Amino acid sequence: MSIRGKACIAGIYEHPTRKADGLSLAQIHAEVARGALADAGLSKDDVDGYFCAGDAPGLGPMNMVEYLNLKPRHVDSTDTGGSSYVLAVGHAAAAIALGKCSVALITLAGRPRAAGQSQVRPAPGATADAPFEAPFNPVIATMYGAAANRHMHEFGTTSEQLAWIKVAASHHAQHNPHAMLRNVVTVEDVLNSPMVADPLHRLDCCVISDGGGAIVLVAPEVARSLKRPVVSIRGAGEAIKHSAGGRIDLTYSGAVWSGPRAFEEAGVRPSDIQYASIYDSFTITVLMTLEDLGFCAKGQGGRFVADGNLISGHGKLPFNTDGGGLCNNHPGNRGGMTKVLEAVRQLRGEAHPAVQVPNCALALAHGTGGSLGTRHGSATVILERQ
Amino acid sequence: MSQTPAPSANPEIQPYFEALRDGKLLIKACTQCRQPHFYPRAGCPFCFSDTTEWLESRGTGTIYAYSVLQAAKDLPVLAYVTLDEGPTLMTSIVDSPPSALSNGAAVRLVVRPGADGALAPMFTLI
Ligand SMILES: [Zn+2]
């Protein structure tokens, strides 16, 4: 059994805030839920499936279901960090395909800036891995820095090549009035920005923002009854990559597994994809993911992203046309939701005209949640305009 | 961090912390498939046998990857070291100027208190 063609994205909403002073976390969840349902032309009482992740306050979905006053017959709060919302699209599609629900709501909200937290720390707990990592103060930037260090060592990837990813994102962000960083930057700007965790410069890192987003998935017959363009789920894949008993290889991500699973279910190849939303916590995350998804050979990511190849209207693979996490936003340090939202905009023809991919019919969204340096969730979805 | 129990209170890994007090690094090897692994577990992560035994590492290896946090240049450098026994572990490089580090450089064990206060296996350039 496959989920191909069994569920559609009918509603999306991205919260415009980037600093949510005066808004509670639950309130942001509710605002994005309201926005996505209005976009779909559905009401709260149509929702019979609810999906959230670790950003939702409370125990799994229970407290949010109460706050929103929903009555779902199917819930799921699988948390794979920032990839959760891409993963949830696959899980919601599967639930709809099985008849467990017909209108599934996925919400994300975060307010680390309003709360004065520059980095969300993993929740304390007696995980088996913690005693073997906590002594070494592994902040996110150094773990990703180490992954970039090893990728450069093995494949000759350069800082200039990584910088091109930021340059492409900035070209897109200039057209997004909500983006935090709207100035177009050059490779030199990236290389001249302060080193954070070498080889990663400040402009190799994503922004920290508040905000949120929501997605409404529905059964195909519901989608056809609505007035919005029909965006169908064609394939989904997921994976967890970890330290594998000490057989650590930092040069690839879980996308090497989630990608092929999604492509197989969708029955398409990387060369068929017209637009890609790629998780961009750091520039290295994008470069490695593009290789792992098969857009280029392993080790060739640097060459692939160089010279503006990711810039819409210029390069072969337009990516993150909203500016992505590198320039637009990264709500709650969880960028998977916005990856799906921009892919849907592209398929609907609702991206900014300056970055809209002409006749975009097949798009991919990919999330990487957790750390490339330890363990992360990887989720890939392939979406199609009907 | 205060909600996390002291790691040495975990019986599964207590010998690891006792050995660190003696300046030694213990890893685990499977009694069935013989393969060494890290972090240490009571069961084998490879063949899934339920019997593993402690193995004292020679304490030598090479730098697999590293990254210097510029805002904390005086602190130990985050690194991954591949032990001569095979497993790669997250660790810190100490007593070595960051500019002297390179992938593949030989290192040896030094036991120091980590950021969480517990003794931890760190490495220095040979
Ligand atoms: Zn074994």
Side-chain angles (χ1 to χ4, degrees):
Chain A
M1 184 170 177
S2 156
I3 62 166
R4 183 166 158 187
K6 303 273 179 59
C8 304
I9 294 179
I12 58 166
Y13 185 76
E14 178 175 331
H15 206 289
T17 191
R18 299 295 180 263
K19 193 162 190 295
D21 292 321
L23 297 176
S24 80
L25 194 56
Q27 186 181 1
I28 303 170
H29 276 277
E31 290 186 2
V32 295
R34 207 171 279 125
L37 286 166
D39 181 51
L42 292 164
S43 74
K44 174 183 80 70
D45 294 336
D46 294 317
V47 175
D48 62 356
Y50 178 65
F51 294 71
C52 61
D55 58 283
L59 186 61
M62 292 197 296
N63 306 69
M64 278 312 306
V65 164
E66 176 181 65
Y67 182 88
L68 297 169
N69 196 27
L70 301 175
K71 205 174 175 186
R73 59 191 174 101
H74 189 83
V75 296
D76 184 337
S77 60
T78 307
D79 193 6
T80 56
S83 64
S84 299
Y85 320 91
V86 183
L87 185 125
V89 167
H91 286 201
I96 290 170
L98 285 171
K100 296 292 183 186
C101 58
S102 62
V103 176
L105 170 67
I106 309 170
T107 65
L108 154 78
R111 51 193 305 286
R113 291 182 79 205
Q117 299 163 337
S118 65
Q119 185 184 327
V120 172
R121 286 269 168 191
T127 58
D129 46 80
F132 306 98
E133 295 169 9
F136 312 114
N137 191 32
V139 298
I140 292 285
T142 48
M143 288 189 282
Y144 281 71
N149 161 269
R150 188 68 198 183
H151 200 280
M152 289 178 165
H153 175 74
E154 290 197 22
F155 303 116
T157 306
T158 67
S159 290
E160 288 79 1
Q161 291 169 334
L162 287 174
W164 270 110
I165 296 166
K166 174 72 169 196
V167 170
S170 77
H171 272 266
H172 299 149
Q174 65 176 315
H175 305 293
N176 182 350
H178 298 298
M180 288 176 72
L181 306 176
R182 294 187 65 193
N183 289 339
V184 173
V185 300
T186 63
V187 168
E188 289 67 34
D189 290 335
V190 179
L191 300 184
N192 290 333
S193 67
M195 193 67 91
V196 172
D198 65 320
L200 299 176
H201 302 77
R202 184 181 175 123
L203 294 188
D204 286 298
C205 309
C206 69
V207 299
I208 291 169
S209 80
D210 298 348
I215 302 167
V216 176
L217 280 94
V218 300
E221 59 273 21
V222 178
R224 284 191 289 272
S225 74
L226 302 170
K227 294 189 171 61
R228 304 297 278 135
V230 176
V231 172
S232 178
I233 314 301
R234 202 166 155 127
E238 64 190 62
I240 307 284
K241 181 171 179 260
H242 50 70
S243 63
R247 295 179 184 176
I248 291 175
D249 185 338
L250 297 180
T251 64
Y252 69 95
S253 75
V256 294
W257 302 307
S258 68
R261 284 166 193 157
F263 280 112
E264 186 188 356
E265 188 163 52
V268 299
R269 292 175 303 179
S271 56
D272 298 322
I273 300 295
Q274 295 167 275
Y275 166 82
S277 283
I278 305 292
Y279 203 97
D280 55 347
S281 45
F282 297 88
T283 51
I284 184 64
T285 322
V286 176
L287 188 142
M288 209 181 275
T289 304
L290 289 170
E291 294 175 347
D292 295 340
L293 290 174
F295 287 105
C296 62
K298 192 67 202 172
Q300 296 298 307
R303 260 174 240 179
F304 185 80
V305 303
D307 303 321
N309 200 33
L310 302 179
I311 299 175
S312 187
H314 176 86
K316 261 183 15 196
L317 184 68
F319 102 121
N320 298 8
T321 42
D322 59 343
L326 289 169
C327 293
N328 176 18
N329 64 343
H330 194 221
N333 301 303
R334 289 164 168 260
M337 173 63 73
T338 45
K339 297 295 161 290
V340 179
L341 302 185
E342 184 67 3
V344 172
R345 289 189 200 102
Q346 281 287 352
L347 292 168
R348 287 174 166 183
E350 294 177 355
H352 189 282
V355 296
Q356 175 68 49
V357 175
N359 302 311
C360 186
L362 198 63
L364 174 148
H366 180 85
T368 307
S371 173
L372 291 182
T374 53
R375 61 204 67 80
H376 57 269
S378 191
T380 312
V381 293
I382 294 169
L383 310 175
E384 181 179 33
R385 188 192 62 218
Q386 296 277 290
Chain B
M1 250 178 243
S2 57
Q3 284 137 290
T4 309
S8 54
N10 176 349
E12 189 180 4
I13 53 175
Q14 199 179 343
Y16 166 88
F17 284 98
E18 288 170 0
L20 285 173
R21 284 199 286 274
D22 297 330
K24 295 173 180 170
L25 169 60
L26 294 187
I27 64 174
K28 273 278 179 101
C30 179
T31 59
Q32 304 299 309
C33 73
R34 309 307 308 175
Q35 300 181 86
H37 72 263
F38 198 86
Y39 55 87
R41 284 154 242 205
C44 176
F46 302 123
C47 76
F48 230 50
S49 87
D50 61 0
T51 49
T52 59
E53 58 192 8
W54 293 102
L55 172 70
E56 186 186 338
S57 168
R58 290 190 292 277
T60 50
T62 54
I63 295 177
Y64 170 76
Y66 64 98
S67 178
V68 182
L69 189 65
Q70 297 297 313
K73 269 183 164 169
D74 300 337
L75 294 181
V77 174
L78 182 81
Y80 296 78
V81 161
T82 303
L83 299 172
D84 288 343
E85 290 82 11
T88 300
L89 72 162
M90 180 188 284
T91 183
S92 295
I93 305 293
V94 295
D95 302 341
S96 312
S99 59
L101 305 184
S102 63
N103 302 89
V107 291
R108 66 173 170 80
L109 176 71
V110 287
V111 175
R112 296 284 167 82
D116 63 347
L119 287 176
M122 302 189 183
F123 291 82
T124 189
L125 289 175
I126 293 175

